[in-house]
Amino acid sequence: MGERFETRTVHIGHKPLRQVASKSTPIYQTSVFAFSGLEDVERYYAGEGEYLYTRNGNPNQAELALAVARLEQAEAGVSAASGMGAIMAGLLAVLGPGDHVLASHELYGGTYALLHKELSRFGIELECVDLRQRSSLAPHVRPQTKLLFMETITNPLLSVPDLPYWIGEAKQYGLAVMVDNTFATPYLVRPIQLGADLVVHSATKYIGGHSDVTAGVLVGRRDLVGRASEIVVNYGASLSPFEAWLTARGLKTLALRMERQCDNASEVARFLRNHSAVKRTYYPDPDSTSFFHRGKQGAMISFCLADEEKVYDFFRALDWIKLAPSLAGVETSVSHPVTTSHRALTEEQRREAGITQGLIRLSVGIEAVEDIIAELDRALRS
């Protein structure tokens, strides 16, 4: 080591720990990894090394992906810079130019925009199918059809497609199945066990759980996740080490958070159904979620005001429940699908789907449920 000040300033650090182990995973906040010689570089490219460059892979990214894969009981996983990045990687792992994809007609607006606007530029064609009632996919399947995409609990009307039925239907025609399990999480249901090939999460939501990260995770069949991993790297959608570390830390309390949030949501939904200012409440019922691994229906509720012109008054009247264009933090929040999550849809599409001006999406947190209900009641009576 050089003795001059400038050199000593740059070359700080410590030797790798060999006799002690950190109880929590360190943050590998580095863009590159060092090699002792060219032989080590060659060993990396021969598949014998672990990490080269954080865009290509990092221990924090890998820890998060593996943790979600284990919870979903999937063969492999990859993390990405956002939920949309993970969805993109999963779609492109299956689809190519000229292919045809079937998707639920109830779909998150960002996913719809990706499929309808962006992937159409690659010659990939989208067809939306109503999955609320059992029927055959036969009228929709073509020789070019490769994939069925659906959400476990749809956004924002919270209907629950019969996953076992639709996965079985898709398999009859040799289709891959990709499920967005963001709203349900593996705490409630694990679509891989039902036959899905890929499961995706906006880990920004319940996986991270604290409204302080933006991340995505895709898990599923090893071959498809392997291809998706290449797409994440080549498209520059890799997750930063710090975001991966925060998300993995949040994941550790997923079961506790979901237990409380689901229980709270059940009580809040009951309150909203009986409120004179609410025209309709959307919340999954036990029959529609009978294939879930737990007897709970999630922590998301949507409701429509009886007087839809009062929607601005409702949002203004709220105090500690915040208006935010996301969901699933430990704190209760609300959003307005028409102006946020489903803005990409045309007015006609929103009207046909039932996404009206008076529709409010409620993400129930871990606070005392009596306080949540009191705050909503005060705003509804304003």
Side-chain angles (χ1 to χ4, degrees), residues 192-215:
I192 295 291
Q193 289 188 302
L194 303 175
D197 300 285
L198 291 169
V199 171
V200 67
H201 288 272
S202 174
T204 309
K205 314 302 192 301
Y206 288 109
I207 299 297
H210 293 80
S211 306
D212 55 7
V213 297
T214 302

Side-chain angles (χ1 to χ4, degrees), residues 1-110:
M1 178 65 67
E3 292 298 318
R4 291 176 174 77
F5 178 86
E6 293 83 355
T7 306
R8 294 200 305 271
T9 301
V10 172
H11 292 278
I12 63 174
H14 64 84
K15 293 181 180 179
L17 300 176
R18 301 189 185 279
Q19 302 302 318
V20 296
S22 173
K23 185 174 182 291
S24 63
T25 304
I27 306 171
Y28 290 85
Q29 192 65 43
T30 181
S31 57
V32 294
F33 296 84
F35 294 86
S36 59
L38 292 178
E39 297 84 359
D40 282 348
V41 176
E42 291 302 319
R43 278 193 284 271
Y44 169 82
Y45 282 105
E48 300 172 10
E50 292 183 291
Y51 301 104
L52 171 80
Y53 183 57
T54 283
R55 180 168 66 84
N56 298 69
N58 178 288
N60 298 117
Q61 299 167 357
E63 178 188 51
L64 173 61
L66 179 60
V68 176
R70 284 175 173 168
L71 292 178
E72 290 282 9
Q73 298 184 334
E75 293 177 354
V78 60
S79 57
S82 67
M84 290 308 305
I87 290 171
M88 176 194 69
L91 292 171
L92 293 181
V94 177
L95 301 169
D99 284 344
H100 176 238
V101 56
L102 300 176
S104 169
H105 80 294
E106 291 185 12
L107 207 59
Y108 166 56

